[in-house]
């Protein structure tokens, strides 16, 4: 096979779960190896709510970095009905918090302190709009009478659109979009609205979770949808459109927490994400748009310069990644894309 290479600006991950303690130590090196910056999710137990908590968490991440790693965590604050607009604004002004994360209460892992009554968070959202601080949104309703496969679409109509109308200037990132409906909504409402797309939602559809046996390692939230939605996501990601960028949502859980009667949601893709993405863009014949998705569109939305450093991806014989990594909290299974990965990150 002829050797093919692709050099792009060093990527950023605009949605990442690093956890804390032994799990943080175990997973951080994999993101730091390939990414320059990442938006760090605040759904710890207890959640990262205040500026002081975000500063302390940032320090723990920096302390856990391998020597010489050039990795900057961009912190988020977990929005609660008690969040103080002044604290949010101060954390933003001090460079401690880049964004605020909205979890509808009960939507996903550790979201119990999230928002039930959106009226209660309006003062925070209004202040964020004033200072230009983005809101990262987990876009799923939680009502038990709404089918889990419809929860993103219903959220757009019932929650997201009304909020964006009430706080017109708010900058919003719809996180980990999984549906054609979300892609269409973002494309049709281009004012101050963007979306992240995960690696795994570009690769799996709901058959991966359920057909031929139940596969807990493909279970995440929002849950993967039918194939037509996956195709819409690939189309958006590979389009070069500035509104779509990478947020891996790499979300490690130790295997025993996934493999039980009620297993946790989350897919750990940090080690092989770039190889997976290069494969997806190559298959779509859009390798020339990979850099926009991984390295240019995100910084542009967040008002940051793209990274100066470059990474080179090399195509060759399939790369084998470990099926799982060991952490101080137990083994964590690595996302299996289900096809061979021919692209590797040079030098990593
Ligand atoms: O699959 C998911 N895992 N989705 C989320 O929204 C949260 C995440 C986690 O924290 O494990
Ligand atoms: Zn997440």
């Amino acid at each position: 096979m002829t050797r093919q290479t692709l050099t792009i600006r060093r990527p950023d991950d605009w949605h990442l779960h690093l956890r804390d303690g032994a799990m943080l130590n175990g997973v951080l090196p994999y993101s730091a190896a390939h990414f320059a910056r990442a938006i760090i999710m605040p759904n710890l137990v207890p959640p990262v709510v205040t500026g002081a908590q975000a500063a302390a968490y940032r320090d723990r991440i920096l302390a856990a970095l391998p020597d010489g790693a050039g990795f900057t965590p961009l912190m988020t604050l977990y929005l609660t009905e008690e969040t103080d607009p002044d604290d949010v604004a101060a954390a933003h002004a001090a460079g401690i918090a880049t964004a605020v994360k909205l979890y509808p209460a009960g939507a996903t892992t550790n979201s119990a302190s999230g928002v039930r009554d959106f009226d209660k968070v309006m003062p925070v959202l209004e202040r964020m709009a004033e200072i230009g601080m983005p809101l990262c949104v987990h876009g799923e309703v939680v009502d038990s009478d709404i089918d889990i496969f419809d929860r993103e679409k219903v959220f757009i109509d019932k929650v997201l659109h009304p909020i964006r109308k009430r706080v017109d200037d708010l900058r919003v990132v719809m996180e980990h979009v999984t549906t054609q409906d979300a892609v269409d909504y973002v494309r049709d409402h281009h004012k101050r609205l963007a979306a992240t797309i995960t690696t795994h939602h570009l690769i799996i559809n709901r058959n991966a979770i359920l057909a031929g046996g139940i596969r807990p390692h493909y279970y995440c939230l929002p849950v993967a949808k039918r194939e037509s939605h996956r195709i819409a996501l690939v189309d958006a990601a590979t389009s070069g459109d500035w509104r779509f960028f990478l947020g891996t949502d790499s979300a490690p859980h130790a295997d025993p927490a996934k493999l039980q009667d009620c297993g946790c949601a989350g897919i750990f893709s940090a080690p092989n994400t770039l190889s997976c993405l290069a494969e997806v863009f190559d298959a779509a014949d859009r390798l020339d748009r990979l850099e926009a998705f991984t390295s240019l569109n995100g910084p542009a939305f967040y008002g940051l310069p793209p990274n100066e450093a470059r990474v080179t991806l090399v195509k060759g014989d399939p790369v084998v990644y470990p099926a799982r990594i060991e952490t101080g909290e137990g083994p964590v299974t690595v996302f299996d894309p289900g096809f061979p990965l021919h692209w590797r990150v040079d030098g990593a």
Side-chain angles (χ1 to χ4, degrees):
M1 186 186 294
T2 53
R3 189 179 137 102
Q4 200 184 340
T5 68
L6 177 69
T7 298
I8 59 173
R9 284 180 188 263
R10 194 170 172 81
D12 301 305
D13 185 347
W14 299 97
H15 183 129
L16 176 64
H17 298 267
L18 287 177
R19 317 299 190 203
D20 214 343
M23 184 63 89
L24 168 65
N25 282 305
V27 300
L28 177 60
Y30 295 95
S31 290
H34 295 160
F35 294 94
R37 298 170 288 202
I39 286 272
I40 309 301
M41 287 298 125
N43 61 334
L44 305 182
V45 190
V48 180
V49 175
T50 65
Q53 289 166 341
Y57 184 31
R58 181 172 67 178
D59 289 347
R60 295 198 296 280
I61 295 168
L62 293 174
L65 275 174
D67 283 346
F71 178 82
T72 305
L74 303 173
M75 308 309 290
T76 58
L77 302 177
Y78 186 120
L79 183 62
T80 72
E81 293 177 3
E82 285 76 47
T83 294
D84 173 5
D86 290 339
D87 182 61
V88 170
H92 187 249
I96 293 165
T98 300
V100 170
K101 177 69 190 254
L102 163 64
Y103 289 105
T108 187
T109 310
N110 302 334
S111 62
S113 320
V115 178
R116 286 185 173 76
D117 177 354
F118 288 88
D119 287 344
K120 296 203 171 129
V121 297
M122 279 303 145
V124 181
L125 301 186
E126 278 156 12
R127 180 69 77 84
M128 289 169 60
E130 260 170 58
I131 62 178
M133 186 179 194
L135 180 72
C136 298
V137 175
H138 184 109
E140 288 189 288
V141 291
V142 293
D143 324 27
S144 55
D145 52 343
I146 308 283
D147 189 282
I148 189 165
F149 292 102
D150 297 333
R151 289 179 181 189
E152 182 172 282
K153 178 179 163 39
V154 173
F155 181 89
I156 295 169
D157 300 337
K158 294 270 163 55
V159 183
L160 182 61
H161 194 62
I163 288 180
R164 292 188 56 251
K165 283 184 90 170
R166 280 175 80 172
V167 194
D168 187 50
D169 285 341
L170 187 63
R171 301 175 64 71
V172 174
V173 185
M174 241 196 120
E175 300 288 345
H176 41 52
V177 292
T178 58
T179 56
Q180 170 90 61
D181 310 87
V183 167
D184 290 346
Y185 181 75
V186 171
R187 283 195 176 127
D188 292 347
H189 297 82
H190 45 85
K191 225 176 92 192
R192 294 181 272 280
L193 177 65
T196 55
I197 302 178
T198 75
T199 305
H200 48 275
H201 288 120
L202 293 173
I203 292 174
I204 59 164
N205 62 32
R206 62 196 197 178
N207 282 359
I209 315 165
L210 297 169
I214 189 156
R215 300 199 187 259
H217 294 299
Y218 290 131
Y219 174 61
C220 65
L221 289 169
V223 70
K225 309 297 190 295
R226 63 170 64 243
E227 176 66 2
S228 56
H229 293 291
R230 188 194 68 82
I231 290 169
L233 299 177
V234 172
D235 185 59
T238 61
S239 66
D241 187 326
W242 64 268
R243 291 166 291 202
F244 299 102
F245 42 86
L246 174 64
T248 65
D249 200 10
S250 181
H253 293 275
D255 285 350
K258 301 248 341 145
L259 307 175
Q260 56 175 325
D261 285 351
C262 183
C264 296
I267 293 179
F268 176 60
S269 65
N272 61 2
T273 267
L274 288 186
S275 290
C276 290
L277 290 171
E279 204 74 34
V280 168
F281 278 65
D282 196 359
D285 213 8
R286 298 256 177 90
L287 274 176
D288 56 322
R289 312 252 172 95
L290 181 64
E291 185 180 42
F293 182 66
T294 60
S295 318
L296 300 176
N297 296 346
F301 182 84
Y302 276 93
L304 296 168
N307 299 305
E308 281 307 324
R310 278 15 187 213
V311 296
T312 297
L313 296 154
V314 182
K315 187 176 187 181
D317 293 334
V319 206
V320 180
Y321 287 90
R324 60 193 61 79
I325 64 157
E326 291 302 327
T327 75
E329 285 188 18
V332 178
T333 291
V334 176
F335 174 59
D336 175 2
F339 47 69
L341 297 171
H342 299 90
W343 290 88
R344 65 181 169 78
V345 182
D346 200 19

